[in-house]
Amino acid sequence: MTDLAVHEHIGLPVFERLGPHASRAEQVAHLAEAARQIRVQDLKLVHHAGAGHIGGDFSAIDILATLYGAVLDISPDRVGDPERDRFILSKGHVAGALYTTLAAFGFLPAAELATFLRPLSALNGHPNRTKVAGVEASTGPLGHGLPVAVGHALSAKLDGSPRRTYVLTGDGELQEGSNWEAMMAAAQHRLDRLTVIVDRNRLQQGATVKETNDLDPLRDKAAAFGLAVTEVDGHDHGELLDVLSAAPSPGKPSFVIAHTHKGHPISFMSDDVAWHHKVPDEAEYHQALTELEKR
Amino acid sequence: MTPTSVADRPRYDCRDAYVATLSELAHDDHRIVGVVNDSVGSSKLAAFRASFPDRLINVGIAEQNMVGVAAGLANGGRIPFVSAASCFLTARALEQIKADVAYSNHNVKLCGMSPGLAYGELGPTHHSIEDIAWLRAIDNLTVIVPADPVETSAALRWAAAVEGPVFVRVSRMSVPQVNADDYAFVPGKAVTLRDGGDVTLIANGTVLWRALVAAEQLAADGVAARVLSMPTVKPLDVDAVVAAARETAGIVTVEESTIAGGLGGAVAETVVQHHPARVAILGVPEFAPTGSAAFLLDRYGMSPEAIAASARDLLRHG
């Protein structure tokens, strides 16, 4: 990229993983700062691209930062290692959050973020497995990630491998029947090294999930399908770290309902359905930056 | 007296070649697994399951999950052969084929069992006449329609060895062997089963033998028909099609699928762009009425006699 105007908006440090001797408090502080910086960068991406899904990005970023920053057994030099953990982003429309997270943890050169949505960029509006190292499946149409994750978890089980599989779905996305097909198969095959994380922000594109096609009681439904259900504050890095790195429940896939807020923590975006894919104007952009810098 | 007609040869169910070949491949390569939607019986995979009980994954009646699971297995280094009735595999899971397999470039082999009109009297819900047109439109997916057990086996061996998404139709309707015992499948290449300079018949799958018998009948009338076997619909052998357009009076395509966008469509697109020539497309034009597969093929102008008549018509008006 030679476009300096674009370059000015790329300023993301690379976050190294903390060593095994870091305290939980140090881990949590590290993840919180990574997530804050990822949000700042993602805000800039969306603002400058003039497009993106910032509401969903901001509900998912704490989950993504925790996975890449501390949970997944994966590193930039092992993206092709057959024994790496797999993370599949089923809600592919938050590609901007994924790219920014990958850049924050060294999987993608930060400078490449400047190409987001630009002509011929590898950084499409939905992630492309063949173009971006670290992307495990080309997602975008909803209800695809969970079946692919089940397939990977099955492969690991066949191999007798300890590698784990994580998949992040939206909550509105669970209206797609393919997810429930996959959950039945996950329980049937006792895929206990599979963790399904639901970004439970309670909003879909046009309205609340409750108004549209309610999922509740989601906890009971997932449990009835044979999954071990946990609920966490999806913006609390400590809770996320504990639950996502916990040992599996023997014989049962994990189902983590991460309670989140679309647009979190920006005052005028949070929980507002309009911010599904709205682009901040100049004043909103600066206000959001100020709010993120204060944290 | 010509040698015995192709029509008089013994008939085979290609699913038998399918399971025998898949079992051999799985024996030699531990990465190979089967993935089915409660389709063990209809795919004739009982013997495979007996040999490799852990490597036949039955997801139940859930085609979207079946193809997604196959993509995930491939992500984990396995080589999944998805084996399901072509009508359900390709229609119910089309978006998974597009996104999880082809666009994601996962090394999945999709085996469309009992395709075309194979389910005969079960009707259009179970006919899979659209599969070729749908899949031919998807990038990064090789589409193969074998004509006999030898070609089914050879195509499967090729698919197992190549890295990338492949669709293979595996027919249920019994067919005579039309390829040589030592046949080697070459992707994207037509096979000239019979040479001739008057008119060209291009066919694949269960109707290829019918085209060969039509050519025998035309020869008896002094018409030299070239018969091109076109096992790979995508990528198409453009050179062979253009040569046929240039060197003969016209092309009759014959396929056990819809006349919209299948083999005939592929040939027509090629001819129009490279060497305009007369093309007659034989296939299924509608939701078929009740009848056996053989009855329906005859009804839609794909008896050997009707194929020969189409060729003569094309010569007359060429």
Side-chain angles (χ1 to χ4, degrees):
Chain A
M1 291 299 300
T2 54
D3 188 338
L4 286 179
V6 171
H7 257 316
E8 282 171 16
H9 297 94
I10 304 301
L12 186 67
V14 173
F15 289 83
E16 300 292 336
R17 283 254 182 138
L18 296 187
H21 302 300
S23 70
R24 182 174 178 282
E26 288 167 332
Q27 280 280 20
V28 170
H30 184 66
L31 293 172
E33 176 57 12
R36 192 187 68 82
Q37 295 259 15
I38 291 167
R39 279 195 173 84
V40 168
Q41 182 61 73
D42 186 56
L43 173 70
K44 292 176 177 176
L45 280 197
V46 172
H47 180 61
H48 285 275
H53 287 85
I54 198 161
D57 285 357
F58 277 26
S59 75
I61 279 172
D62 297 305
I63 299 163
L64 294 171
T66 304
L67 285 167
Y68 281 92
V71 174
L72 295 172
D73 180 18
I74 186 170
S75 61
D77 57 352
R78 288 180 54 224
V79 289
D81 182 349
E83 287 305 316
R84 71 191 182 278
D85 283 349
R86 303 302 201 274
F87 169 68
I88 293 157
L89 179 69
S90 193
K91 46 179 301 182
H93 55 285
V94 302
L98 178 64
Y99 301 148
T100 311
T101 304
L102 287 170
F105 294 103
F107 292 84
L108 182 73
E112 202 173 330
L113 292 173
T115 71
F116 180 57
L117 305 187
R118 291 165 70 92
L120 307 182
S121 170
L123 306 184
N124 198 302
H126 296 94
N128 183 331
R129 175 177 184 254
T130 65
K131 293 191 177 168
V132 183
V135 170
E136 298 287 0
S138 302
T139 52
L142 299 174
H144 284 246
L146 217 163
V148 174
V150 167
H152 177 263
L154 267 169
S155 79
K157 189 172 184 186
L158 281 170
D159 291 350
S161 160
R163 65 183 189 263
R164 295 181 71 161
T165 312
Y166 294 84
V167 54
L168 178 63
T169 77
D171 54 356
E173 177 177 6
L174 293 181
Q175 290 159 355
E176 292 279 8
S178 51
N179 294 301
W180 302 91
E181 294 181 2
M183 279 189 253
M184 285 199 290
Q188 173 79 22
H189 292 275
R190 303 169 59 84
L191 300 177
D192 53 16
R193 302 189 77 74
L194 168 69
T195 300
V196 180
I197 309 162
V198 181
D199 183 354
R200 185 76 168 114
N201 60 32
R202 295 160 288 108
L203 291 175
Q204 50 196 99
Q205 180 170 294
T208 64
V209 174
K210 187 176 268 312
E211 289 168 309
T212 308
N213 197 359
D214 197 7
L215 288 173
D216 278 330
L218 180 57
R219 182 188 186 101
D220 295 346
K221 283 175 181 164
F225 272 66
L227 283 77
V229 185
T230 316
E231 300 193 50
V232 296
D233 176 344
H235 299 304
D236 183 317
H237 303 99
E239 281 190 34
L240 286 167
L241 179 63
D242 293 344
V243 166
L244 297 178
S245 52
S249 300
K252 282 192 169 191
S254 294
F255 189 87
V256 178
I257 302 173
H259 293 284
T260 58
H261 301 275
K262 223 163 181 172
H264 179 83
I266 305 304
S267 57
F268 58 90
M269 290 184 191
S270 189
D271 289 335
D272 182 351
V273 71
W275 283 96
H276 177 77
H277 54 191
K278 193 176 165 189
V279 177
D281 64 21
E282 209 56 31
E284 290 164 337
Y285 170 66
H286 287 292
Q287 188 188 333
L289 266 186
T290 305
E291 290 187 22
L292 287 172
E293 275 156 16
K294 276 193 193 136
R295 289 175 71 89
Chain B
M1 185 65 192
T2 52
T4 318
S5 169
V6 170
D8 300 328
R9 296 179 191 167
R11 304 291 172 95
Y12 303 93
D13 180 339
C14 291
R15 292 176 300 169
D16 294 321
Y18 171 74
V19 65
T21 306
L22 190 61
S23 297
E24 281 174 37
L25 289 166
H27 183 268
D28 294 342
D29 188 339
H30 77 281
R31 296 175 299 169
I32 290 176
V33 295
V35 184
V36 297
N37 59 338
D38 194 26
S39 46
V40 174
S42 56
S43 296
K44 290 203 169 193
L45 282 172
F48 180 94
R49 181 174 58 187
S51 303
F52 310 100
D54 299 337
R55 287 160 62 187
L56 185 65
I57 293 151
N58 190 348
V59 300
I61 307 164
E63 290 75 24
Q64 297 185 72
N65 187 46
M66 172 177 66
V67 175
V69 160
L73 284 160
N75 186 296
R78 295 279 164 168
I79 305 175
F81 278 70
V82 180
S83 181
S86 201
C87 55
F88 309 131
L89 167 62
T90 62
R92 200 70 174 255
L94 188 60
E95 191 178 76
Q96 279 74 18
I97 293 173
K98 170 187 166 186
D100 306 354
V101 177
Y103 182 49
S104 289
N105 193 32
H106 276 125
N107 189 24
V108 174
K109 316 305 167 184
L110 303 159
C111 303
M113 312 302 291
S114 306
L117 299 166
Y119 281 119
E121 296 88 342
L122 295 188
T125 55
H126 285 55
H127 295 164
S128 186
I129 59 170
E130 303 88 354
D131 51 2
I132 303 304
W134 288 337
L135 299 187
R136 197 169 75 76
I138 296 177
D139 187 21
N140 193 37
L141 179 64
T142 301
V143 178
I144 305 172
V145 184
D148 66 7
V150 171
E151 193 162 66
T152 300
S153 183
L156 289 168
R157 289 180 191 287
W158 175 79
V162 73
E163 175 85 21
V166 179
F167 172 80
V168 183
R169 250 189 176 196
V170 180
S171 68
R172 175 195 201 95
M173 203 187 322
S174 58
V175 287
Q177 182 178 332
V178 294
N179 290 289
D181 289 337
D182 62 350
Y183 173 78
F185 173 77
V186 182
K189 285 292 167 201
V191 181
T192 305
L193 288 181
R194 189 176 177 116
D195 213 352
D198 293 336
V199 65
T200 302
L201 310 179
I202 300 180
N204 59 22
T206 59
V207 291
L208 176 58
W209 73 268
R210 290 165 174 257
L212 283 165
V213 176
E216 293 170 8
Q217 294 173 358
L218 289 165
D221 292 348
V223 175
R226 179 180 306 182
V227 179
L228 294 183
S229 164
M230 197 67 78
T232 318
V233 180
K234 179 169 156 276
L236 192 74
D237 188 341
V238 171
D239 291 344
V241 172
V242 170
R246 187 183 297 120
E247 294 161 11
T248 70
I251 297 170
V252 180
T253 65
V254 195
E255 63 192 303
E256 189 194 357
S257 57
T258 168
I259 54 171
L263 173 65
V267 167
E269 289 163 17
T270 303
V271 164
V272 163
Q273 293 181 83
H274 297 280
H275 192 93
R278 279 181 61 85
V279 176
I281 297 174
L282 303 183
V284 184
E286 62 184 3
F287 290 133
T290 306
S292 70
F295 167 83
L296 293 171
L297 288 174
D298 287 351
R299 175 184 169 86
Y300 292 124
M302 289 181 276
S303 66
E305 293 73 20
I307 295 169
S310 287
R312 285 192 199 96
D313 189 53
L314 198 144
L315 279 168
R316 238 187 332 269
H317 299 101

